[in-house]
Amino acid sequence: MSVIEVSSFAAGQWIEPGAGARNIASAITGEVMATAGNSALDVQAMLDHARTVGGPALRKLTFHERAKMIKALAQHLGQHKQELYDISFETGATQSDHMIDIDGGIGTMFVFASKGRREMPDGNIYLDGDIEQLSRNGTFLGQHVCTPLHGVAIHINAFNFPVWGMLEKLAPTLLAGVPAIVKPATNSCYVTELAVRLMIDSGILPTGALQLVSGGIGDMLDRLTCQDVVSFTGSADTALKLRSNPVLMREGVRFVSEQDSLNSSILGPDAVPGSPEFDLFVKEVSREMTAKAGQKCTAIRRVLAPQDQVDSVIEALSTRLSQVVIGNPRLETTRMGALVSNGQKADVLEKVAILGKEAERVFGDPLNFQVDGADREKGAFMPPMLFHCANPDTAERVHDTEAFGPVSTVMGYRDLGHAIDIANRGQGSLVTSVITHDPAVARDVVLGAGAYHGRIYINNRDSMKESTGHGSPLPHMVHGGPGRAGGGEELGGVRGVKHYMQRTAIQGSPEILSAIGEKWVPGAPETKAPAHPFTRRFGELSIGETLHSASREITLDDIEHFANFTGDTFYAHMDDEAAERNPFFPGRVAHGYLLLSFAAGLFVDPNEGPVLANTGLDELRFMKPVSAGDSIKVRLTVKKKTRRTDAYGEVRWHVTLTNQDDEKVAEYELLTMNAY
Ligand code: NDP
């Protein structure tokens, strides 16, 4: 096999390995298969390129345009998946591991693309939360907004997920409008390089939006400013070294960290052998031990079972693990491939020796196991190994030593409180799970363990068919954990995008806030429409454009008619005396839905026109009852416009109903789809 020269992509140029390059061995054969790194890389030029070319180009795009770009990248990578699969085998990963890394990474991009379109504006300023009332008369208001940082995101990734690890950071970064310099772990950087090449060659990204360092980053971190972000995944030791860089501390550079984690899984006290939960627990634990040969930041390292179930758990896990076929990951029959390198294997064996001082090995022998289709001595192969720690209270190392391979330790607990204490002794983890059919158990775990874990995964017979697995971080949910896990938080939908934006508290008048947010704020000037707004196309409508309707009196006949027609004969609308006894009503009142229906009758234009559909109604509040003899009128204002396709867009209307004394009786937001 010829040696792959893994290049960096710096300031628009592919730079081949040079002085200081490192050899990379195949996980399967142990032979050198690639080389990467070049100490002559001009890191300042890379930073300049990102800051002066990539950043401005990305910031010109709206959130929706960036979301479309991310979707196009995901589609493009999807079309080239096979090439990525083919090369990824060399990292020791099996085809099902590729599904996590490659398909999982692409899927994450799709979710961010979709969230960007649905949850972010088709503009450049993200509104974070609602308007804050800062004054009595509403002439001075507050609004938090997020705008993209003007610097560059440095993504330093671990070896275990060369594609997902990059894409899960890249998608939120690009959506924010910030360029990235990706530095994958050298051991598996040839896979990342291919994915970057595919994205660059697609021509979808603006120049400077994405650069790659294969090998070391030199003194890049010493050149960062408050506009840059470092997002790191890897070991706690490296994280500590990097985050204590004096320049990062002096400049207040954001540092998002995701590192070692002694994750745990709790078998609920109710989940006895023979129950669906017991079997599910065994399945989840063995899957987490063997997927990616246990090289997952979320893998279950500590297996917690009720004391009297420990033997059954060990027996069931051993049976399952004995069926795991270890071998060349290219073989279809292989269930577990190799660790990424012999260096990593040596590291895991060292950690296993440490664990062995406090726990007994009950399954798996690193000196005696079968490997199919590869040389056991040359490749970085290792069998799954299960330990039993009889005394988790006095043990220390089982709670702080992460053997980053197919290694877990079973521990018995006395009661649920004890299980929670043991789970929390990891001093902060990415995920803990509890397999239980008892909601009270789940609630106690959340209350007792929530503070120590970034994610709590609860599974049982009801959810097991559709559940996504203890070890899968989802783009919708936060991924990260306190303490030992790094204190970071990635993903979590738009939350993850905010790491790359600055939140700013904006204070000003309604008119000012409307203009900044491109969203009408009550109190801002209204503009009079040149024609009925329902006759105007999406592109013609302007924010603040307002229609004032005629007024309509509500009669007792209307109320009776509505009640009999709809069947809503609730006493407050029908029985004067009963309604009077109710503290909210002066006597019989009109139905809220009657008011909404009459409001529609007052503001619609009946003719066929650009309004295609009424798609919803948000934040409805009834503020004052309306009695027979009162009259209502409607104010309809264009609050926000969101392009959906080239053919139509969503218009959000602010609707206020007032009575004859100009008092508000109801308020809501109406959604319509309008043609362009
Ligand atoms: P490392 O911490 O060694 O490396 C992580 C990343 O940091 C790599 O890209 C590495 O690059 C880079 N790096 C290392 N030193 C520096 C430096 N001085 N300046 C800039 N970048 C640097 O972790 P590994 O990926 O090698 O994994 C080792 C251990 O980390 C595992 O055994 C496991 O315990 C833990 N880990 C934890 C994960 C988690 O999410 N919880 C995920 C993966 C690993 P390079 O490869 O070029 O050295």
Side-chain angles (χ1 to χ4, degrees):
M1 184 181 197
S2 60
V3 173
I4 303 171
E5 301 223 313
V6 190
S7 296
S8 295
F9 186 64
Q13 303 290 323
W14 285 100
I15 312 284
E16 290 179 354
R22 262 172 56 189
N23 286 337
I24 304 165
S26 157
I28 309 169
T29 63
E31 284 167 20
V32 172
M33 49 87 56
T35 175
N38 189 331
S39 48
L41 207 59
D42 187 346
V43 293
Q44 187 59 49
M46 291 181 80
L47 293 170
D48 292 344
H49 186 61
R51 289 169 182 153
T52 60
V53 181
L58 284 167
R59 291 199 295 276
K60 264 197 204 128
L61 305 175
T62 66
F63 289 106
H64 284 202
E65 286 166 337
R66 291 179 216 139
K68 273 193 202 160
M69 179 182 83
I70 292 166
K71 185 175 176 185
L73 284 176
Q75 283 167 332
H76 183 74
L77 287 173
Q79 285 157 9
H80 293 269
K81 269 195 301 202
Q82 192 57 48
E83 293 160 54
L84 292 164
Y85 293 160
D86 289 345
I87 198 170
S88 279
F89 286 118
E90 290 302 326
T91 67
T94 61
Q95 183 61 37
S96 51
D97 294 336
H98 301 342
M99 302 303 285
I100 306 173
D101 185 34
I102 297 161
D103 294 76
I106 294 170
T108 299
M109 292 201 106
F110 277 122
V111 172
F112 272 95
S114 157
K115 285 193 164 284
R117 294 288 299 280
R118 282 166 198 279
E119 298 173 28
M120 303 187 88
D122 190 17
N124 305 87
I125 297 180
Y126 177 76
L127 303 183
D128 187 30
D130 292 332
I131 291 280
E132 297 289 342
Q133 294 294 330
L134 304 179
S135 59
R136 187 183 291 260
N137 296 320
T139 60
F140 185 67
L141 305 170
Q143 169 77 62
H144 291 98
V145 306
C146 297
T147 53
L149 292 175
H150 288 190
V152 51
I154 314 292
H155 296 165
I156 301 177
N157 293 327
F159 67 79
N160 53 344
F161 289 115
V163 177
W164 178 86
M166 166 172 63
L167 299 183
E168 63 104 12
K169 290 185 171 82
L170 190 59
T173 303
L174 292 176
L175 190 52
V178 174
I181 297 176
V182 175
K183 186 256 173 289
T186 304
N187 273 332
S188 55
C189 68
Y190 47 91
V191 185
T192 313
E193 192 236 38
L194 175 57
V196 170
R197 243 178 225 285
L198 289 167
M199 289 192 280
I200 297 293
D201 291 350
S202 74
I204 294 165
L205 282 167
T207 304
L210 174 62
Q211 297 178 79
L212 172 75
V213 176
S214 299
I217 54 169
D219 63 354
M220 189 183 281
L221 299 190
D222 297 340
R223 299 161 185 267
L224 300 187
T225 77
C226 72
Q227 290 300 304
D228 305 316
V229 183
V230 177
S231 185
F232 172 84
T233 302
S235 65
D237 288 347
T238 309
L240 181 63
K241 190 157 87 188
L242 300 186
R243 79 186 332 158
S244 32
N245 174 313
V247 176
L248 299 195
M249 293 198 287
R250 189 188 68 215
E251 301 293 321
V253 178
R254 291 185 198 182
F255 192 89
V256 182
S257 183
E258 207 244 282
Q259 58 199 46
D260 304 9
S261 177
L262 274 295
N263 311 299
S264 48
S265 185
I266 303 172
L267 176 69
D270 55 305
V272 293
S275 67
E277 282 72 29
F278 185 89
D279 295 344
L280 174 62
F281 181 76
V282 170
K283 199 168 149 194
E284 292 257 11
V285 172
S286 75
R287 186 175 56 199
E288 289 306 317
M289 285 180 72
T290 54
K292 285 292 293 187
Q295 302 166 109
K296 269 168 72 184
C297 50
T298 50
I300 299 167
R301 306 291 173 204
R302 299 176 304 142
V303 181
L304 314 185
Q307 192 60 60
D308 49 5
Q309 309 298 355
V310 164
D311 290 345
S312 311
V313 166
I314 291 175
E315 192 189 327
L317 273 173
S318 301
T319 305
R320 212 174 161 101
L321 292 171
S322 65
Q323 292 155 7
V324 174
V325 178
I326 305 161
N328 186 326
R330 285 198 170 86
L331 295 178
E332 270 182 30
T333 44
T334 294
R335 289 289 156 270
M336 190 171 97
L339 300 189
V340 75
S341 66
N342 279 311
Q344 188 62 21
K345 179 176 168 178
D347 182 70
V348 174
L349 288 175
E350 215 174 275
K351 303 284 172 51
V352 158
I354 295 171
L355 294 175
K357 294 197 175 124
E358 291 180 346
E360 179 198 356
R361 180 156 48 80
V362 291
F363 181 86
D365 181 352
L367 299 176
N368 184 16
F369 63 103
Q370 192 187 324
V371 171
D372 285 1
D375 186 333
R376 194 181 91 179
E377 304 309 322
K378 291 192 175 151
F381 294 97
M382 176 172 272
M385 280 182 265
L386 192 66
F387 283 78
H388 172 223
C389 175
N391 207 335
D393 291 335
T394 53
E396 303 268 342
R397 300 289 79 85
V398 293
H399 304 298
D400 68 10
T401 305
E402 185 187 35
F404 206 66
V407 184
S408 296
T409 305
V410 179
M411 304 174 207
Y413 67 79
R414 294 184 292 276
D415 53 32
L416 191 59
H418 188 215
I420 292 168
D421 285 348
I422 301 175
N424 294 352
R425 283 197 60 195
Q427 291 302 310
S429 85
L430 295 172
V431 51
T432 190
S433 55
V434 54
I435 308 299
T436 180
H437 198 229
D438 183 345
V441 168
R443 191 171 190 281
D444 283 351
V445 170
V446 169
L447 202 56
Y452 284 83
H453 307 275
R455 180 161 62 88
I456 299 184
Y457 170 89
I458 303 155
N459 205 359
N460 62 27
R461 67 192 75 178
D462 300 330
S463 49
M464 63 186 187
K465 283 215 175 70
E466 291 195 304
S467 59
T468 46
H470 163 107
S472 299
L474 299 175
H476 320 70
M477 310 299 289
V478 293
H479 173 55
R484 187 189 304 281
E489 203 182 79
E490 297 183 319
L491 302 175
V494 174
R495 290 176 192 88
V497 183
K498 291 182 193 170
H499 291 308
Y500 303 97
M501 298 197 281
Q502 176 62 42
R503 181 172 23 243
T504 308
I506 304 293
Q507 294 158 262
S509 71
E511 182 178 10
I512 297 289
L513 295 194
S514 291
I516 290 169
E518 295 180 279
K519 183 173 167 186
W520 186 79
V521 173
E526 299 168 4
T527 53
K528 192 167 159 19
H532 190 289
F534 275 30
T535 64
R536 284 160 63 68
R537 306 186 76 79
F538 182 87
E540 294 168 335
L541 287 169
S542 56
I543 304 291
E545 191 168 318
T546 300
L547 170 89
H548 286 272
S549 78
S551 76
R552 165 174 190 153
E553 187 182 331
I554 313 289
T555 66
L556 203 53
D557 274 356
D558 290 332
I559 298 174
E560 295 269 343
H561 179 74
F562 191 85
N564 294 325
F565 182 51
T566 62
D568 179 355
T569 51
F570 187 62
Y571 72 89
H573 312 306
M574 309 308 288
D575 180 339
D576 216 23
E577 286 178 11
E580 255 185 66
R581 286 194 290 276
N582 180 318
F584 289 99
F585 302 125
R588 285 179 75 176
V589 293
H591 305 65
Y593 302 120
L594 175 149
L595 301 178
L596 294 190
S597 305
F598 281 178
L602 287 167
F603 66 64
V604 296
D605 179 84
N607 299 320
E608 184 177 359
V611 177
L612 305 175
N614 172 351
T615 54
L617 187 158
D618 281 346
E619 302 191 19
L620 170 63
R621 288 285 174 282
F622 294 115
M623 290 132 137
K624 200 170 168 55
V626 172
S627 309
D630 288 346
S631 45
I632 60 162
K633 56 186 182 307
V634 187
R635 187 185 66 191
L636 182 77
T637 304
V638 178
K639 178 166 185 169
K640 194 178 165 201
K641 293 175 19 178
T642 310
R643 205 154 43 119
R644 288 279 178 238
T645 70
D646 289 341
Y648 53 85
E650 182 189 86
V651 181
R652 185 175 283 270
W653 310 79
H654 187 91
V655 186
T656 311
L657 275 62
T658 46
N659 64 14
Q660 62 283 357
D661 299 322
D662 281 334
E663 295 167 314
K664 280 187 197 173
V665 300
E667 203 157 41
Y668 56 96
E669 292 184 359
L670 171 76
L671 300 170
T672 60
M673 263 328 154
N674 287 39
Y676 262 74

